[in-house]
Amino acid sequence: MNQQTKYWNVDNIVDGLEDYPQIQEAAELLRRNELIAFPTETVYGLGGNGMEDETVEKIYTAKGRPSDNPLILHIADRMQLDELVSEVPPLGEALMEAFWPGPLTLVFPKKSGVAMRASAGLDTVAIRMPDHPLALALIQAARLPIAAPSANLSGRPSPTTAQHVLEDLDGRIAGVLDGGPTGIGVESTVVDITGDVPMILRPGGITAEQIAEITGEVAIDPGILSEEAAPKSPGMKYRHYAPQGQMWLVRGDTIEEMTKSIRNAARRAVEEGKKVGILATKETFREYDGEYTVITCGERRDLISVARRLYDVLRQFDQESVDVIFAETFPEGGVGTAIMNRLTKAAGGHYL
Ligand code: TXA
Ligand code: MG
């Protein structure tokens, strides 16, 4: 597993992407069952031919990912769906119409007779059409459904830049297309549409509120936010996005109470000789005066900016080798649900 990882910078290219030699070369490697990392609107994906079991196996190996965790197949047009699913439930039709291309993954009944390592033995298959010109051009040029988990080593924060991808996977994959930092910063929302009511299995870029506007009703897997109930989506049961330092989430009835609790905890930790990290926001970072590594993660009044910065901030704490991280918490609802889901996982469910 030591190969030369090619690097193509395709940031700032806009028109006729499919014709660019970098895209052609990357697509050709995908057709030859090599692994290529590419940007999507959420996070960078580690792509491989989703129809080839051995290639999918290579994805699991490159990431060090548990192999009972199924992958999302990425497509570039509706036609590709027919080869993969046995039916499109009416719920699916409406959601695709509203949100594709976009950060919404739908779990469909899988077409029978299609053996797929990517869906890890389930009779369903997760599919999404990413809203990123580079991703779409690559999939189109490869003419394949592309299996793509986030392009990080298992247990590391998902990558939101090509640099993050190389930190984790340099030498383990055939290439990476650099399209600049991703926009949304947290992964797609995964929704099971095989039942009567859509069920959110993983909160993400499309919010429950947006889905309810289309479908009327929406259910949320109770396993998503609590550490007790077992989540329905195989991938949610693993401790994801774990920073190297122990992370504690800090609540408070008001922002002032929250920042005060963090100040107290941080002071005690420093007294114990620990190197302390604090995940703060633009509105609050000035509250933490001391020997701390304070990193600002967006603005509280614009949670989209928090989501965009989150994984990069978690990686920065690792780089700073902090022993303990105290993280501010955010209101649930909207993209706040996805932010708190990822933070809860990173902290292993630990609240101060
Ligand atoms: O934004 C994203 O979705 C990114 C980019 C690269 O597209 N991809 C991504 O993939 O996050 P991954 O493999 O890290 O997460 C896939 C999630 C896992 O939680 C997995 O368990 C769930 O989707 N999943 C996949 N197939 C499923 C299925 N058939 N039923 C239920 N959950 C499924
Ligand atoms: Mg992932």
Side-chain angles (χ1 to χ4, degrees):
M1 176 120 60
N2 213 325
Q3 63 183 134
Q4 178 85 30
T5 300
K6 291 205 168 181
Y7 171 86
W8 302 276
N9 190 338
V10 253
D11 205 2
N12 297 323
I13 294 178
V14 264
D15 287 330
L17 268 170
E18 299 93 276
D19 300 329
Y20 271 82
Q22 300 95 318
I23 306 270
Q24 289 299 330
E25 188 183 357
E28 185 51 38
L29 285 167
L30 283 173
R31 290 196 66 78
R32 282 195 260 131
N33 297 318
E34 297 288 349
L35 307 185
I36 301 291
F38 61 95
T40 77
E41 78 281 32
T42 57
V43 300
Y44 274 72
L46 173 56
N49 180 354
M51 298 291 95
E52 194 64 59
D53 289 357
E54 267 178 44
T55 310
V56 171
E57 206 62 56
K58 281 207 295 196
I59 296 179
Y60 286 104
T61 309
K63 276 184 65 94
R65 175 178 175 121
S67 60
D68 65 340
N69 189 0
L71 305 179
I72 297 168
L73 294 178
H74 295 63
I75 62 173
D77 64 64
R78 271 294 303 272
M79 308 282 269
Q80 284 182 285
L81 207 56
D82 301 334
E83 305 150 36
L84 304 170
V85 309
S86 64
E87 60 162 326
V88 177
L91 270 178
E93 208 61 71
L95 288 171
M96 285 189 288
E97 178 65 30
F99 300 117
W100 276 14
L104 177 72
T105 295
L106 297 174
V107 174
F108 292 91
K110 193 175 72 178
K111 191 162 193 159
S112 64
V114 187
M116 250 189 267
R117 181 70 190 75
S119 61
L122 301 174
D123 53 14
T124 53
V125 57
I127 302 182
R128 101 174 183 95
M129 189 186 291
D131 186 17
H132 192 293
L134 251 173
L136 291 172
L138 180 69
I139 300 164
Q140 215 121 50
R143 305 186 305 280
L144 290 167
I146 301 297
S150 47
N152 52 287
L153 287 175
S154 204
R156 294 265 291 153
S158 296
T160 51
T161 65
Q163 217 44 52
H164 294 161
V165 175
L166 289 170
E167 275 169 29
D168 283 14
L169 299 176
D170 194 13
R172 301 169 79 90
I173 60 176
V176 55
L177 284 162
D178 186 350
T182 59
I184 293 178
V186 293
E187 296 87 341
S188 63
T189 305
V190 179
V191 179
D192 186 341
I193 48 165
T194 59
D196 295 333
V197 176
M199 161 86 80
I200 298 182
L201 303 181
R202 175 178 76 179
I206 299 283
T207 66
E209 293 83 349
Q210 285 175 292
I211 292 169
E213 247 175 61
I214 303 298
T215 60
E217 261 183 295
V218 64
I220 301 183
D221 176 4
I224 281 177
L225 286 170
S226 96
E227 284 292 303
E228 280 98 62
K232 291 189 178 22
S233 176
M236 300 298 286
K237 69 172 182 270
Y238 298 105
R239 177 154 179 223
H240 264 183
Y241 328 117
Q244 281 149 34
Q246 173 60 55
M247 184 156 159
W248 294 91
L249 305 183
V250 185
R251 283 189 278 234
D253 286 337
T254 61
I255 307 284
E256 289 70 32
E257 275 184 31
M258 180 182 71
T259 54
K260 188 170 167 211
S261 300
I262 291 178
R263 272 198 306 274
N264 290 337
R267 195 174 349 98
R268 277 196 302 274
V270 165
E271 279 162 16
E272 289 164 16
K274 293 190 176 129
K275 181 165 182 193
V276 173
I278 297 176
L279 187 152
T281 50
K282 198 169 171 197
E283 292 90 338
T284 56
F285 74 96
R286 286 186 199 84
E287 305 289 324
Y288 309 115
D289 213 6
E291 296 285 294
Y292 317 129
T293 302
V294 181
I295 304 183
T296 299
C297 187
E299 291 180 62
R300 307 191 70 82
R301 61 184 181 91
D302 173 21
L303 288 183
I304 288 171
S305 72
V306 176
R308 191 178 296 138
R309 293 272 299 120
L310 186 60
Y311 289 135
D312 184 54
V313 167
L314 293 181
R315 280 178 183 258
Q316 281 184 42
F317 282 124
D318 282 350
Q319 249 158 19
E320 298 281 341
S321 303
V322 296
D323 302 308
V324 58
I325 304 162
F326 299 106
E328 296 187 359
T329 50
F330 299 87
E332 298 275 337
V335 76
T337 306
I339 293 168
M340 285 311 298
N341 169 259
R342 305 312 192 268
L343 278 175
T344 305
K345 299 217 155 270
H350 289 107
Y351 279 87
L352 202 64

